[in-house]
Amino acid sequence: MTSPAASLTSSQNINGIIIPVGLLIFGTVIVKKEWAPFAAILGLVLGAFRYLTGLPKKFLKPDVFQDLELKEKTILSHNTAIYRFNLPTPTSILGLPIGQHISIGAACPQPDGSTKEIVRSYTPISGDHQPGYIDLLIKSYPTGNISKHMASLTVGQTIKVKGPKGAFVYTPNMVRHFGMVAGGTGITPMLQIIRAVIRGRPTGDKTQIDLIFANVSPQDILLKEDLDALAAEDSGFRVHYVLDKPPEGWTGGVGYVTADMVTKLLPKPADDVKLLMCGPPPMVSGLKKAAESLGFKKARPVSKLEDQVFAF
């Protein structure tokens, strides 16, 4: 998102606000000079009104589910897709702080034939700097209520969302170095933060990031092209891939993410370092214990923003 100061000097606002207000004042000076102060006040009021009404509108409400319509579905694999949903207007933004997530609710059929309202949390891979839509990366599981529901959607159908939710909110330079471990679709909150850090480089964000991304096989590595492009673009971000079933000639990590991998690839424990993790519960549980054995502060069952080890 651009700052208010930057958006005020955008070509749209120069043409739509600043020039008309200037012409109003200039014209008044020519016609009746003593009315110029009143014209200036009127121009400022009208300009401020037009500017404020032109600011992006935040969509999310924390306590109310609202409908979003599916605009586009991009298939990545047999069970994974990116779902793009329209926001109400082309200038609307979701209104989601970096590091937080949304709730998706749907009436899902159950094995006994009944229908049950199910709610699950997801992190968009798009951000508020991209008005008009949101993108969700979702992998469908045979036992997943919401993920199966999402896979069944066709363009034009809707989902219900509310938010923001979550204890983590990213702010520039909140730490010197992030160590991240993601498994599968656990990459989504990490990608959100990584992109925010890199977007903030021009304004002074110096945060270093090392990411371990664990998957079963090369075909399971979601958004690899995006991650590799970000690493190539920004020397402060490094990605390390780990596979449970690597192909012949694989040069990355092999097996589960271990304490040795964390020691080798991620930053050492320090007051200005945070370890972020997101993935299958067994992976996260094992990593919490490994992190504590390496000198990181013990992770709480439910993470808080101030924690050194934070699990999404």
Side-chain angles (χ1 to χ4, degrees):
M1 288 296 294
T2 54
S3 68
S7 60
L8 184 61
T9 56
S10 68
S11 60
Q12 181 180 353
N13 285 329
I14 288 173
N15 294 328
I17 299 175
I18 297 174
I19 290 177
V21 169
L23 289 173
L24 171 65
I25 297 170
F26 181 70
T28 303
V29 169
I30 293 174
V31 175
K32 204 169 182 68
K33 189 176 181 180
E34 57 269 30
W35 288 2
F38 302 103
I41 293 170
L42 177 62
L44 288 172
V45 170
L46 293 175
F49 175 77
R50 186 157 183 177
Y51 172 70
L52 292 172
T53 55
L55 290 175
K57 299 293 190 299
K58 293 182 180 181
F59 173 76
L60 283 176
K61 295 180 180 178
D63 302 315
V64 179
F65 275 109
Q66 301 178 88
D67 288 338
L68 284 179
E69 180 182 328
L70 181 63
K71 174 186 178 182
E72 188 180 328
K73 185 174 177 178
T74 303
I75 305 297
L76 300 183
S77 70
H78 71 285
N79 63 356
T80 307
I82 294 175
Y83 301 83
R84 176 164 292 186
F85 291 89
N86 275 334
L87 292 169
T89 73
T91 59
S92 297
I93 60 173
L94 188 61
L96 186 71
I98 301 298
Q100 296 204 302
H101 51 267
I102 60 174
S103 294
I104 297 178
C108 299
Q110 302 300 298
D112 61 3
S114 64
T115 300
K116 185 178 180 181
E117 191 73 21
I118 304 292
V119 178
R120 294 288 184 268
S121 297
Y122 290 92
T123 303
I125 58 172
S126 56
D128 285 352
H129 63 293
Q130 300 164 298
Y133 66 89
I134 70 164
D135 284 341
L136 293 167
L137 171 67
I138 296 179
K139 185 173 184 177
S140 297
Y141 297 93
T143 57
N145 285 289
I146 294 294
S147 66
K148 281 198 301 182
H149 174 76
M150 295 290 290
S152 72
L153 291 178
T154 57
V155 171
Q157 291 186 299
T158 62
I159 58 168
K160 297 181 181 297
V161 304
K162 70 177 180 179
K165 289 182 60 183
F168 190 92
V169 178
Y170 174 73
T171 52
N173 297 307
M174 65 188 298
V175 293
R176 173 180 54 85
H177 202 151
F178 279 124
M180 298 178 172
V181 185
T185 53
I187 191 62
T188 55
M190 307 305 181
L191 185 59
Q192 189 190 47
I193 295 166
I194 292 162
R195 284 175 168 165
V197 168
I198 294 175
R199 284 198 309 274
R201 296 296 192 210
T203 53
D205 197 330
K206 298 178 181 178
T207 310
Q208 295 288 305
I209 303 173
D210 278 279
L211 163 69
I212 296 175
F213 190 16
N215 289 277
V216 177
S217 67
Q219 295 73 30
D220 297 309
I221 303 176
L222 301 171
L223 302 174
K224 186 176 187 299
E225 288 184 5
D226 298 65
L227 290 166
D228 289 344
L230 289 169
E233 170 194 345
D234 190 273
S235 61
F237 166 57
R238 294 157 294 274
V239 57
H240 315 279
Y241 298 105
V242 175
L243 294 180
D244 192 33
K245 297 179 180 178
E248 188 175 348
W250 174 254
T251 58
V254 176
Y256 296 120
V257 179
T258 63
D260 285 344
M261 290 181 190
V262 172
T263 299
K264 180 181 176 183
L265 302 173
L266 301 187
K268 303 294 185 289
D271 290 341
D272 54 0
V273 165
K274 272 188 187 291
L275 189 60
L276 308 180
M277 53 187 69
C278 187
M283 185 195 87
V284 171
S285 177
L287 281 170
K288 284 181 175 180
K289 293 175 183 175
E292 187 180 359
S293 73
L294 295 173
F296 288 92
K297 295 173 184 174
K298 184 176 181 179
R300 290 189 246 201
V302 178
S303 297
K304 303 292 184 184
L305 178 61
E306 63 270 18
D307 291 353
Q308 189 178 40
V309 177
F310 188 98
F312 289 95

